[in-house]
Amino acid sequence: MTHTIEKIKTQRIKVSEKLVYVLETKKLNIYYDDFRAISEVNMKIERNKVTAIIGPSGCGKSTLLRSFNRMNELVQGSRISGEVLFHGQNLYAPDVDPVEVRHRIGMVFQKPNPFPKSIYENIAWGARVHGFKGNMDELVEYSLRQAALWEEVKDILDHSGLALSGGQQQRLCIARALAVQPEVILMDEPASALDPISTLHIEDLIRELSNHYTILIVTHNMQQAARVSDFTAFFNMNGDRSGYLVEYDNTNQLFTMPKNKLTEDYITGRFG
Amino acid sequence: MNGPSIQKPEIEFTDNIRDRNRYGRLWVYIFRFSTIIGIIALATLLFNIINQSSGYVVYEAKGDPAALTLDGVPIEEQTKDQLMRVLSSHLSKGAYSKLDRTKPFAERSRNDVYDLVVERIVKYEVVDSWLLWDSLTRKDEITAAVEEEYPEALLRFDVWINSDFLRRPQSSNPVIAGVRTAVLGSLWTIGITILFAFPLGVMAAIYLTEYAGDSWANRIIQTNINNLAGVPSIIYGILGLAIFVRALEPLTSGTLFGVTDPTSANGRTILSAGLTLGLLVLPLIIINAQEAIRAVPNSLRHAGYGLGATKWQTVWSHVLPNAIPGILTGTILAISRAIGETAPLVVIGASTVIYFDPEGPFSKFTTLPIQIYQWTSRPQDEFRFLAAAAILVLLALLLTLNAVAVLLRNRYSRRY
């Protein structure tokens, strides 16, 4: 099956297999008009690991996440300064097409948002958009298996994606993102709209996927961050309500021996 | 807790549940009253129209229909050939061959020839008529009065709206006048309106909602479109007169394509009317389509972009399919408005009396509302009955369109 998938990869952004860090931000500032939502973030995201971004509401976690695949551009008045590097290349360089960026760096949203089409079409559409020429049935099955949804939906592929439960819808959205063969998957509180059982399914899935994908996840739930992630970045707001990176470390380290007082206060529930 | 414990103020309620309920009921009465007024107005309108659209009519024939019996067959049952013989024996040679020249007898149906016999030889004329209400409540009185006053005449209960009425062209004799020319004119005009305004309106709406940024110029355009939707229709008539009838005359009269005779052709054609009405409904279609497109949740767009789809791929595959029921509903409602428009067509010079069917975009034409207007302004009562019948036809057309809109909305409505 790998050969079908190789076909989809567009190689305009060069991939270096040796790099340990897939993504890197350099002095990244994100603004909405005059308001600075994120200030001076420098962080490196390691390949095939799960990196969690935590912090109090309104500290710009989602804004930062969306800047990794240029989705924040869809918000009127947003702009950035600094650099976001993907395999060492600035994603915001003038010759980089956001469409290609989003192909390589997929996204799963907070609220499950399957297309009002059949389950099959939900998966197939993205691949078709990128000119997929291989065996579509194979790709659909492979993507659904990766998202641990195949067994539940293999007999109802022609049903509407909206007929599924919330948790299944979210896994469908993950499968849909996987089908276009991204390298990185951004997840914006993917389980916050789900019940505890569905949340567990998603968390297991994230662990599983991290063998093959680099995953960035924004979460409100510190237990979730502790359970699924390899690295955790803690963000907080400064006096201007602008988010900044307080501490970024190995998840174990950050949750057991935080170096910063603020981090300690936050993870022990003293604020936030 | 912040600071020292706070002092609880004195809190007292006047428990006036009864007053509040009474106050609420009063408003319900007012709402009910308003609804009833509306229903009464509607009922009066319908009663008025239906009252005029059927009733007793007294006919007197100038020629004696019994004298036209051929081989013992009364004219009502004669074949086309027999009717043609009757016609040729009672009309002058010149009049007969003139009829053949305007439309060869070979092309006329049996009913057409029958209508000719009635029109030219029997010459039924309405001498008196009653409204539906009177016909039902004072039946005996009417029959008695007719027998006394017009012993020779034919008393018949006529429903003015019937298949003959739909089939026959306009005529100066109310007995055989119909709405065919007007209905065809309306359909042709609306067809051109749809062809012109629908694609243009939807494309403009897509551009304005999905592509145009929030710039100063775009906001002015948007405001103007919103205002244009409220401009009185007669102003569109003046615009249509200046642009389509006058400035673009070679195009709208068809002389540019060599379809019509340049000496007699002018711009007062179906094409001009359709385009004028198209301009009239364009802002409505744009606004409705914009609403429908905006109603598609952003989460769908983001899902598309998040997969690396281009803007157009996302719009084409997800935004438009989900907006299309709303777009169609809005368009049909706009078209309903265009069907009922009279003023702009009067300004651009629709013919009020026309006896021949429109044959294409470059024909002279009349439409249903104009036909109604023309009939109501005639002095004879019978034309007012015809107008009432034509109003029912127009209402039926509008209700059908609205029903289609509702069906579309129900059939394609989605949840996200």
Side-chain angles (χ1 to χ4, degrees), chain B residues 338-351:
Chain B
I339 284 191
E341 276 300 339
T342 326
L345 299 184
V346 171
V347 174
I348 69 161
S351 325

Side-chain angles (χ1 to χ4, degrees), chain A residues 25-29 31 40-41 80-84 90 92:
Chain A
T25 66
K26 282 185 175 166
K27 291 191 166 180
L28 178 65
N29 292 283
Y31 303 84
E40 299 291 316
V41 172
I80 73 147
S81 70
E83 289 182 337
V84 178
N90 186 7
Y92 286 83

Side-chain angles (χ1 to χ4, degrees), chain A residues 1 118-124 136-158 164 168-179 181 205 209:
Chain A
M1 206 167 289
S118 71
I119 293 171
Y120 187 97
E121 264 313 295
N122 261 284
I123 311 284
M136 187 63 85
D137 294 350
E138 243 174 50
L139 178 70
V140 170
E141 179 177 343
Y142 176 65
S143 308
L144 285 169
R145 276 189 195 281
Q146 275 188 301
L149 190 61
W150 174 252
E151 292 302 326
E152 293 159 63
V153 302
K154 63 182 174 189
D155 298 323
I156 52 165
L157 289 177
D158 55 337
L164 298 173
Q168 289 175 323
Q169 287 190 13
Q170 194 62 299
R171 275 179 286 152
L172 179 64
C173 293
I174 293 174
R176 177 177 71 185
L178 296 176
Q181 310 305 314
L205 180 58
L209 290 173

Side-chain angles (χ1 to χ4, degrees), chain B residues 315-338:
Chain B
V315 169
W316 177 251
S317 300
H318 300 299
V319 177
L320 277 185
N322 286 292
I324 211 76
I327 293 176
L328 289 183
T329 315
T331 305
I332 290 172
L333 294 180
I335 295 302
S336 312
R337 173 165 175 207

Side-chain angles (χ1 to χ4, degrees), chain B residues 245-364:
Chain B
V245 178
R246 300 263 160 77
L248 296 176
E249 183 172 342
L251 182 82
T252 51
S253 66
T255 45
L256 193 68
F257 312 103
V259 209
T260 45
D261 177 14
T263 50
S264 64
N266 62 35
R268 302 170 188 280
T269 57
I270 283 182
L271 185 58
S272 296
L275 294 177
T276 306
L277 291 184
L279 282 188
L280 174 80
V281 296
L282 196 55
L284 293 175
I285 291 182
I286 294 177
I287 290 170
N288 282 320
Q290 279 188 295
E291 284 304 316
I293 291 170
R294 275 198 210 106
V296 176
N298 259 331
S299 66
L300 274 187
R301 294 185 181 86
H302 288 168
Y305 299 144
L307 288 172
T310 60
K311 189 156 199 163
W312 172 239
Q313 285 172 322
T314 307
V315 169
W316 177 251
S317 300
H318 300 299
V319 177
L320 277 185
N322 286 292
I324 211 76
I327 293 176
L328 289 183
T329 315
T331 305
I332 290 172
L333 294 180
I335 295 302
S336 312
R337 173 165 175 207
I339 284 191
E341 276 300 339
T342 326
L345 299 184
V346 171
V347 174
I348 69 161
S351 325
T352 46
V353 182
I354 191 164
Y355 299 102
F356 296 102
D357 293 344
E359 280 157 349
F362 305 117
S363 296
K364 305 275 167 289

Side-chain angles (χ1 to χ4, degrees), chain A residues 69 71 74 76 99 102-103 105-107 109 113-117 125-126 129-130 162-163 176-177 180, chain B residues 212-214 299-311 313-314 317-318 321-322 414-416:
Chain A
N69 70 344
M71 286 290 279
L74 302 173
Q76 283 248 333
V99 167
R102 291 172 200 148
H103 181 189
I105 304 176
M107 187 147 199
F109 299 85
N113 58 350
F115 298 127
K117 300 183 176 217
W125 187 77
V129 154
H130 293 291
L162 294 166
R176 177 177 71 185
V180 298
Chain B
D214 190 25
S299 66
L300 274 187
R301 294 185 181 86
H302 288 168
Y305 299 144
L307 288 172
T310 60
K311 189 156 199 163
Q313 285 172 322
T314 307
S317 300
H318 300 299
N322 286 292
R414 294 161 192 264
R415 60 195 187 89
Y416 301 103

